[in-house]
Amino acid sequence: MAKVNIKPIGDRVLVQHIEEKEQVRGGIIIPDSAKEKPQEAKVIALGTGKKDENGKVTPFEVKVGDKVLISKYGGTEVKIDDQKFTLVREDDILGVIA
Amino acid sequence: MAKVNIKPIGDRVLVQHIEEKEQVRGGIIIPDSAKEKPQEAKVIALGTGKKDENGKVTPFEVKVGDKVLISKYGGTEVKIDDQKFTLVREDDILGVIA
Amino acid sequence: MAKVNIKPIGDRVLVQHIEEKEQVRGGIIIPDSAKEKPQEAKVIALGTGKKDENGKVTPFEVKVGDKVLISKYGGTEVKIDDQKFTLVREDDILGVIA
Amino acid sequence: MAKVNIKPIGDRVLVQHIEEKEQVRGGIIIPDSAKEKPQEAKVIALGTGKKDENGKVTPFEVKVGDKVLISKYGGTEVKIDDQKFTLVREDDILGVIA
Amino acid sequence: MAKVNIKPIGDRVLVQHIEEKEQVRGGIIIPDSAKEKPQEAKVIALGTGKKDENGKVTPFEVKVGDKVLISKYGGTEVKIDDQKFTLVREDDILGVIA
Amino acid sequence: MAKVNIKPIGDRVLVQHIEEKEQVRGGIIIPDSAKEKPQEAKVIALGTGKKDENGKVTPFEVKVGDKVLISKYGGTEVKIDDQKFTLVREDDILGVIA
Amino acid sequence: MAKVNIKPIGDRVLVQHIEEKEQVRGGIIIPDSAKEKPQEAKVIALGTGKKDENGKVTPFEVKVGDKVLISKYGGTEVKIDDQKFTLVREDDILGVIA
């Protein structure tokens, strides 16, 4: 798993996409820009926590190392040392892959 | 019923579309992309539960195995082992078919 | 009244449109697609009920069999056994016809 | 005043437009579709009442028979026995004409 | 000041625009449609009052006769006896001209 | 500092833009319409105050005379005696220049 | 670190972009306008603090000097002494780089 020195703020979670192998259709390799953004990702770091109205921090429903499904359009991509990561709010995590 | 190792997060529910037979109009088979997205689905897995303001989990109104009607545009499609599933919020489930 | 095995979820209500006779203007029958979506409907089934913040279910202001006026663009159409129904939230019911 | 058997739901009010005489400009009668939607209306029926968080019904600020000004784009038009009515939320009533 | 028999509903206020003299640029009178909508107005009537959650009416910050600045795009224009008025929510009143 | 007889309503603040000198690029003076709207402004007058739910007025974080940075697209421009002012909500004031 | 005399208002934070070296692709220098807006930034100044409903100020999760990741489209750019800064709400800070 990637080692990244980023601490997400609030209810955010840092995830790393699990790249599918380059898709091939009819022998022609589809270049990167034409591929659909991947949906599987690994949780790399949890945020500082979402606070409720009384200032109490709500625990995360995922943990570091979880393989998760994230919304195609959720989050913000960040690039660190040529690796792509995404900072998503926990609500953009759709499910955990067992 | 499909066996899928996904645990939806929060108030989400994993459903699997019940594909209608390929529609035929005037003898010409309409290819997949031209068909309307199906609305009937089977509940495959329930989420970790929606928490109210006091942290109490609200019970789901559907259960695994229910045949449900879902909003045409609700949810996010996921593809696992070449099967299409949809992760919907419970509020996108319109009704249960008895 | 139609008999349908659907239980709406939450504050939703299942209604069936009351089709107006095919309108005729100047002797030319206007085909289905050009007609305005009907607004009168009959209540077929009530939902499981909308819960307030304390978990108490709010009673519906309509009952099965009521002839109601629904918003032209509200709700989601569903087709069961070739009959068109609409699942609307109670708030999309504008009034009851006495 | 029109007699209509409709009971509006919630904070809705049924009003009937007060049609202005067909406007004439330069001797040419402007057909219906080109006229601006009327703004004056008469209150025909009050809704079942808007409930606050404690279930208490808020009284309406208008009463049946009031001549009111309604927002040009508010509400939903309904046609009953060839008469046009509009179901508006009370908040779309701008003022009462004394 | 204009005398108008309209009682605004809720937090609305009836104002009358203070027309600027027809602007003249280079000797050519600019017709009405090309002029910018006026921003200065006089308060003609206050609403029935905005109620807070406990049903208590909040006092208005303007009074009848005040010369005010209103948002260019706020409110709804009404025409009474060939005079233009605007019904604005109090929040669309930007300031009072002393 | 400009002397203007306007009392802003609620949480609004009246500010006056601090015009930058006409920018010159390559010796060509760029006319007014092509310049970016200025962001620096001086606070001219504070509003009547924003009330919280209990009717208590929240104090402003800026004071008359402060040089502030305002959002490019926030507020409403008003013209008084050929001078341009802007009425902004306090939340559109980004910072105070010391 | 830059020295700027700006005090952000409320939950805003003043950050300064950390410019990446001019990117070169195939030997051709890409001019400024074609470059993607940077995402790394340094915290220069904290706001006066976000107040909760009881008037209590919520502490910031970042501190002056922190190297942070900010949303590509968040905040408002300001230019002071030919240096570009951005005033962002704390919620637009995605994470802290350790």
Side-chain angles (χ1 to χ4, degrees), chain D:
Chain D
M1 194 170 21
K3 186 88 181 72
V4 183
N5 295 325
I6 290 177
K7 182 65 181 173
I9 298 285
D11 64 334
R12 287 187 183 87
V13 171
L14 184 75
V15 301
Q16 185 175 31
H17 298 302
I18 297 167
E19 294 278 353
E20 298 172 70
K21 299 231 181 74
E22 295 227 0
Q23 290 176 348
V24 177
R25 278 191 208 142
I28 300 159
I29 293 169
I30 304 155
D32 187 61
S33 61
K35 279 194 306 187
E36 197 178 44
K37 226 176 131 187
Q39 289 186 303
E40 286 190 35
K42 193 162 270 192
V43 176
I44 304 296
L46 301 180
T48 53
K50 187 180 189 172
K51 284 169 189 154
D52 68 10
E53 288 173 12
N54 307 316
K56 225 178 64 183
V57 173
T58 314
F60 283 95
E61 306 236 22
V62 294
K63 59 182 190 301
V64 172
D66 273 1
K67 204 169 146 189
V68 294
L69 288 168
I70 60 164
S71 164
K72 268 187 212 168
Y73 305 107
T76 305
E77 273 191 22
V78 292
K79 216 177 180 170
I80 304 158
D81 304 336
D82 278 317
Q83 282 190 295
K84 274 189 211 161
F85 295 89
T86 301
L87 278 152
V88 296
R89 292 183 182 276
E90 195 191 17
D91 193 55
D92 288 323
I93 301 180
L94 307 172
V96 178
I97 304 169

Side-chain angles (χ1 to χ4, degrees), chain E residues 12-61:
Chain E
R12 288 188 182 86
V13 171
L14 183 75
V15 301
Q16 185 175 31
H17 298 302
I18 298 166
E19 295 277 354
E20 299 172 69
K21 298 232 182 74
E22 295 227 2
Q23 291 175 347
V24 178
R25 276 188 210 144
I28 301 160
I29 292 169
I30 303 156
D32 187 62
S33 62
K35 279 194 306 188
E36 198 178 43
K37 226 177 132 187
Q39 289 186 303
E40 286 190 35
K42 191 162 274 193
V43 176
I44 304 295
L46 300 180
T48 54
K50 189 181 189 172
K51 284 168 189 156
D52 67 10
E53 290 174 10
N54 306 315
K56 225 178 64 182
V57 173
T58 315
F60 283 94
E61 307 236 20

Side-chain angles (χ1 to χ4, degrees), chain F residues 39-40 52-53 58-59 61-62 69-72 90-98, chain G residues 5-12 14 48-49 51 53-54 76-80 87 89:
Chain F
Q39 290 185 302
E40 286 190 36
D52 67 11
E53 290 174 9
T58 315
E61 307 236 20
V62 295
L69 287 167
I70 61 164
S71 166
K72 266 186 212 170
E90 195 190 18
D91 193 54
D92 288 325
I93 300 180
L94 307 172
V96 178
I97 303 169
Chain G
N5 294 325
I6 290 177
K7 182 66 180 171
I9 297 287
D11 64 335
R12 288 188 182 86
L14 184 75
T48 53
K51 282 168 190 156
E53 290 174 10
N54 307 316
T76 305
E77 273 192 22
V78 291
K79 216 175 179 171
I80 305 157
L87 277 153
R89 292 182 182 277

